[in-house]
Amino acid sequence: MHPIVICALLWAFFLFSGIIKIENKHPYTSLLACENVNSINAIVQSSPAKLSSGTYYNMELSLCSVTGAIGQYLTKADATGRIRAFVPSEIVESYFPGKLYKSPAFFDIGESVTLQGSFSCKDGENVFFADSAKTYGYIKSKNIFNNVRAAIRHNLRKILFSWHEAGGFLLALLTGCREYVPINCSSLFQRSGVTHILAISGMHLTFISGITSFLVCKILGKRHKLLILFLSELIFVYIAGLSPSIFRAFFCSVFALLCAYCYMEKSEYKIEFLALVFLLHTVFLPSQIKSVSFMLTYAAYFGISLLCDKVSIRLSKIMPPFIAKSIALSFSAQIATSPVLLILFSTFMPFALVASIIISPFVSLFIVIGFAFLIVSLLFPFSVHIFAVIMNSLYRIIFVLLGLFASLPVIELGEK
């Protein structure tokens, strides 16, 4: 076994067993104690992510100042550090298409915000629960890239909002924004045992970059194909944000592109490079380590790297290669993620493997067709409503399949 793989396995054991504690690199620091604070001024550091309950969005904030009461006096003090904040859904979504849109603020990375509320302890971490909020936009010139990114994401919301539920589902698959995905849809993915499909991953990145490079190469030729692939993936990451699954997928994809550039066989070093990406991820973004998305994305890719090619070769003897590859991908990912889901949710889904094999191709088709329709819609806006009908038909097929597998019996192994 390669030394870097051994290092990654040992490091993972120490982290998840609790032997090594990840220290907060940006602790709360201020003259005002947390319990006295009722207002914070901060810069948003992560895109708002909707909780499964649908009641709150959570985001990471970089503190600038805090306000609170000391005795009978209201005091404002400078503050530093990064905190997790929970903001009611109706506040964050008030700026979204179809809601009470009335402000150019997007509540996204780089924006200055003021939150009224209080600190509380959640899972051993001090977090801020907001009762009200006010945004001030991008007040610093260095935030121009964040401003452009937020505007792009907002325009995507406006276009896909017209596709109704199918548009919301595609938005979640392309950018991770789940505000238009019905709560029961996320629940169905979980109860079917195919939660990893909903997370943005290498599959999404490959499809988007592949379609983009195909279109661009038709115009510019294939001479700079690898560069075009890299740039299209970089743009996708810029728009979607650096979630755990995107971090893993992007750097593994960069490895594949480097192998292609050097005429190397990437399959020889998949596990080693995954181990390297894992180590880098835990160093640069330690706050993501305990997230479900982090665990599932590494487990899924580990299974794919270990089993996919072997399973695909065997299946290609009895079925067309592209079908064999699709089934092998779903099978490998599901085999590896099932133990993680079992540990996290104390539930075993005996039909999850079948669900993954059947549902994954439909989701893949949904992404490819949806992205192609999205490009056409940008060029020919009148086609939006036609595409909405097609996309919603495919969405309903996926939803029916999810409902079918979610209704099948599961084995409860204890409290979650």
Side-chain angles (χ1 to χ4, degrees):
M1 188 179 293
H2 197 279
I4 199 167
V5 177
I6 297 175
C7 288
L9 290 174
L10 289 174
W11 183 238
F13 171 75
F14 290 139
L15 286 177
F16 291 103
S17 65
I19 296 175
I20 293 180
K21 302 290 185 181
I22 299 297
E23 294 185 3
N24 185 359
K25 293 184 178 180
H26 308 280
Y28 171 85
T29 305
S30 178
L31 293 176
L32 274 176
C34 287
E35 57 268 21
N36 295 327
V37 172
N38 55 36
S39 175
I40 62 174
N41 181 258
I43 305 295
V44 180
Q45 296 295 324
S46 66
S47 297
K50 197 171 189 177
L51 301 185
S52 57
S53 64
T55 54
Y56 284 93
Y57 279 76
N58 86 83
M59 63 193 77
E60 188 177 7
L61 303 178
S62 178
L63 291 172
C64 299
S65 64
V66 295
T67 303
I70 298 182
Q72 297 179 346
Y73 299 96
L74 192 64
T75 304
K76 183 176 182 180
D78 291 337
T80 59
R82 293 192 177 186
I83 64 166
R84 180 70 50 186
F86 289 82
V87 183
S89 298
E90 58 268 21
I91 294 176
V92 178
E93 294 180 357
S94 65
Y95 304 113
F96 293 167
K99 308 293 182 179
L100 300 177
Y101 179 76
K102 54 187 177 182
S103 168
F106 303 119
F107 235 119
D108 217 326
I109 296 176
E111 191 167 17
S112 178
V113 298
T114 294
L115 304 180
Q116 305 284 339
S118 61
F119 276 99
S120 181
C121 186
K122 181 178 175 63
D123 299 329
E125 177 187 8
N126 283 327
V127 297
F128 192 85
F129 282 87
D131 299 321
S132 62
K134 186 176 181 180
T135 61
Y136 299 97
Y138 299 87
I139 57 178
K140 297 181 180 179
S141 58
K142 67 179 182 180
N143 277 327
I144 184 171
F145 290 107
N146 290 327
N147 198 350
V148 171
R149 174 182 179 272
I152 292 173
R153 286 163 65 91
H154 190 70
N155 285 324
L156 278 175
R157 285 189 182 102
K158 288 198 289 187
I159 293 173
L160 294 178
F161 175 73
S162 62
W163 289 6
H164 309 296
E165 290 183 338
F169 186 49
L170 183 61
L171 182 68
L173 294 173
L174 294 181
T175 68
C177 301
R178 300 188 184 182
E179 52 266 19
Y180 294 111
V181 176
I183 295 176
N184 63 330
C185 182
S186 299
S187 176
L188 287 176
F189 269 94
Q190 182 177 321
R191 298 206 310 270
S192 300
V194 291
T195 306
H196 63 282
I197 296 177
L198 192 56
I200 300 178
S201 62
M203 177 181 71
H204 306 69
L205 197 64
T206 301
F207 285 150
I208 302 305
S209 63
I211 294 173
T212 304
S213 64
F214 173 78
L215 295 174
V216 176
C217 286
K218 286 292 184 179
I219 301 173
L220 301 180
K222 297 182 179 180
R223 183 179 179 183
H224 304 294
K225 183 178 180 179
L226 294 180
L227 178 61
I228 294 169
L229 276 169
F230 173 74
L231 291 177
S232 62
E233 291 181 0
L234 194 62
I235 292 171
F236 177 79
V237 172
Y238 166 67
I239 295 173
L242 211 57
S243 67
S245 52
I246 293 180
F247 185 101
R248 195 278 309 157
F250 177 67
F251 282 97
C252 287
S253 180
V254 168
F255 162 69
L257 292 175
L258 286 174
C259 287
Y261 182 78
C262 299
Y263 300 99
M264 295 171 57
E265 181 57 52
K266 65 179 181 180
S267 59
E268 296 180 10
Y269 305 101
K270 277 184 178 180
I271 301 296
E272 289 79 3
F273 195 78
L274 179 64
L276 177 60
V277 172
F278 172 82
L279 292 172
L280 292 174
H281 199 159
T282 56
V283 170
F284 290 109
L285 296 172
S287 61
Q288 297 183 348
I289 293 173
K290 295 296 180 69
S291 70
V292 176
S293 177
F294 179 94
M295 300 177 197
L296 289 179
T297 189
Y298 280 96
Y301 193 76
F302 177 76
I304 290 171
S305 301
L306 205 62
L307 300 173
C308 183
D309 290 339
K310 298 175 183 177
V311 175
S312 180
I313 291 172
R314 290 179 178 273
L315 292 178
S316 61
K317 296 178 181 179
I318 57 175
M319 62 182 65
F322 72 94
I323 297 179
K325 185 71 172 181
S326 178
I327 293 177
L329 280 169
S330 300
F331 174 83
S332 305
Q334 192 64 43
I335 286 292
T337 55
S338 290
V340 178
L341 293 172
L342 179 62
I343 294 171
L344 292 175
F345 303 111
S346 300
T347 304
F348 176 68
M349 292 85 164
F351 300 98
L353 180 58
V354 179
S356 181
I357 291 174
I358 293 176
I359 295 174
S360 290
F362 282 99
V363 175
S364 302
L365 181 65
F366 185 87
I367 294 173
V368 173
I369 294 177
F371 186 69
F373 283 176
L374 182 60
I375 294 175
V376 176
S377 297
L378 292 172
L379 298 175
F380 306 102
F382 63 85
S383 62
V384 167
H385 298 294
I386 299 174
F387 294 150
V389 174
I390 299 173
M391 294 302 295
N392 275 284
S393 298
L394 186 53
Y395 170 79
R396 290 189 186 96
I397 294 174
I398 296 172
F399 201 86
V400 168
L401 290 173
L402 282 171
L404 174 64
F405 285 103
S407 65
L408 296 177
V410 298
I411 301 174
E412 299 285 348
L413 300 180
E415 292 187 7
K416 296 183 181 181

